[in-house]
Amino acid sequence: MRILRSTRRLSDWSQALHREGVIIGLVPTMGALHDGHRVLIRTARASCDAVAVSVFVNPRQFGPGEDLSRYSRPFRSDAALCRQEGVDVLFAPPPEAMYPPLFQTSISVHRLSQRWEGEHRADHFAGVATVVTKLLSLTRPHKTFFGQKDYQQAIVVGQLIEDINLGVKLVIHPTVREQDGLAMSSRNAYLTPAQRRTAPILYQALLAGKEGVDAGIRSGSRIRTIMLKQASAQPTVTVDYLTVCHAKTLEPLSRVRGKAVLLGAIRIGRVRLIDNVMVKARQ
Ligand code: AMP
């Protein structure tokens, strides 16, 4: 496995492979790799000739007061996991390689970025869209792999790819969970043991909403109430949002028809967790 730190090296690698007709897959991450990332890498490995993983804690997607400085950066174990999974290139640039002093461009996917996570994390998705555009331009992959865990992010990236004709296939992998249902996340490591025991409440609330839809409830506000009631059973939890929305536009639904997504974000102490569940309302 090659570890590349400069953007030039990454684009040289990609250009050489393109000349040979090699199918390239890219898995963008912020490192602190866990089994959720591992399945994305395996999925990429299974359908591409060459796999690049980026490990970059992107400062532009963190707001003031967020966890940029304390975000875990266990580079040696990340590299070991990538090696184990047969990754060809690990791209781990320093921030100044991605954002040199004269850097001044921002990519924004406007409407999709404003809701939900965007309401709680101003500029977050502009940071994501900008770094993803750079990573895709440098790697020029045929396929790129994202997790459903960050549903809004995956939808924003899908729209970005379509809007500016990036010509890469987006593969969205289902969320990988711990045994008790908690979605795997690098941020779970911040939870104290007591908070960790509480954390599955988010998935349980989303599942309660899904059970409601499966039982024939179609009113968006009733489904929201069911989810909120479940989450509020834990007094240490603050709900940022629990909602039912259109699976593509992410607009909140007053009535559920066809496919929809239940999105949720809660805070337990200083830790913020997000999750989602797809639902389908049968006629
Ligand atoms: P991150 O390092 O948290 O930015 O995540 C990098 C990629 O891994 C994103 O596409 C995430 O959606 C995906 N990912 C993170 N956690 C999970 C999980 N539990 N299951 C599936 N994909 C995940």
Side-chain angles (χ1 to χ4, degrees), residues 129-237:
T130 304
V131 81
V132 169
T133 305
K134 282 177 70 76
L135 291 169
L136 293 175
S137 316
L138 290 164
T139 317
R140 289 174 54 219
H142 299 80
K143 302 180 191 181
T144 186
F145 298 80
F146 281 74
Q148 188 195 318
K149 151 82 175 32
D150 300 279
Y151 187 85
Q152 188 173 4
Q153 170 174 278
I155 295 295
V156 165
V157 169
Q159 193 66 49
L160 166 74
I161 289 170
E162 200 172 313
D163 285 354
I164 59 171
N165 310 99
L166 287 171
V168 52
K169 180 177 165 45
L170 171 65
V171 179
I172 302 176
H173 193 283
T175 304
V176 179
R177 298 181 181 281
E178 304 284 358
Q179 281 205 336
D180 60 6
L182 175 66
M184 288 189 180
S185 163
S186 310
R187 289 188 167 103
N188 293 350
Y190 302 153
L191 295 165
T192 64
Q195 291 172 337
R196 173 64 189 80
R197 285 192 291 279
T198 306
I201 193 75
L202 174 55
Y203 185 50
Q204 287 159 12
L206 294 166
L207 284 184
K210 179 176 183 320
E211 275 167 27
V213 175
D214 291 345
I217 300 173
R218 295 292 173 265
S219 151
S221 65
R222 272 191 69 195
I223 294 159
R224 281 181 207 101
T225 306
I226 291 171
M227 294 192 288
L228 273 174
K229 203 170 150 201
Q230 179 87 23
S232 311
Q234 286 286 356
T236 54
V237 165

Side-chain angles (χ1 to χ4, degrees), residues 116 224 243-247 250-253 259-263:
W116 316 123
R224 281 181 207 101
T243 188
V244 51
C245 344
H246 189 279
L250 305 187
E251 295 295 320
L253 294 174
K259 262 175 88 172
V261 63
L262 308 178
L263 295 177

Side-chain angles (χ1 to χ4, degrees), residues 13-176:
W13 174 77
S14 154
Q15 266 177 33
L17 294 191
H18 270 277
R19 280 194 292 272
E20 293 167 17
V22 168
I23 302 295
I24 304 173
L26 171 69
V27 184
T29 82
M30 296 206 301
L33 302 180
H34 50 66
D35 282 351
H37 299 112
R38 191 190 290 276
V39 295
L40 288 189
I41 296 170
R42 281 193 185 162
T43 307
R45 187 68 283 169
S47 71
C48 302
D49 303 321
V51 174
V53 172
S54 59
V55 166
F56 180 60
V57 183
N58 174 32
R60 290 186 171 242
Q61 67 189 70
F62 288 76
E66 288 188 16
D67 54 349
L68 174 62
S69 58
R70 68 185 174 120
Y71 200 87
S72 179
R73 292 162 170 87
F75 185 72
R76 284 161 75 107
S77 58
D78 286 350
L81 185 150
C82 288
R83 216 171 265 119
Q84 232 178 36
E85 296 302 329
V87 168
D88 297 281
V89 155
L90 172 54
F91 178 55
E96 58 277 15
M98 293 295 274
Y99 303 117
L102 287 180
F103 189 90
Q104 53 199 286
T105 298
S106 177
I107 312 264
S108 176
V109 181
H110 291 288
R111 280 197 305 282
L112 283 171
S113 297
Q114 278 162 18
R115 282 205 182 273
W116 316 123
E117 283 306 281
E119 280 172 26
H120 294 269
R121 305 183 71 191
D123 300 333
H124 169 67
F125 286 118
V128 170
T130 304
V131 81
V132 169
T133 305
K134 282 177 70 76
L135 291 169
L136 293 175
S137 316
L138 290 164
T139 317
R140 289 174 54 219
H142 299 80
K143 302 180 191 181
T144 186
F145 298 80
F146 281 74
Q148 188 195 318
K149 151 82 175 32
D150 300 279
Y151 187 85
Q152 188 173 4
Q153 170 174 278
I155 295 295
V156 165
V157 169
Q159 193 66 49
L160 166 74
I161 289 170
E162 200 172 313
D163 285 354
I164 59 171
N165 310 99
L166 287 171
V168 52
K169 180 177 165 45
L170 171 65
V171 179
I172 302 176
H173 193 283
T175 304
V176 179

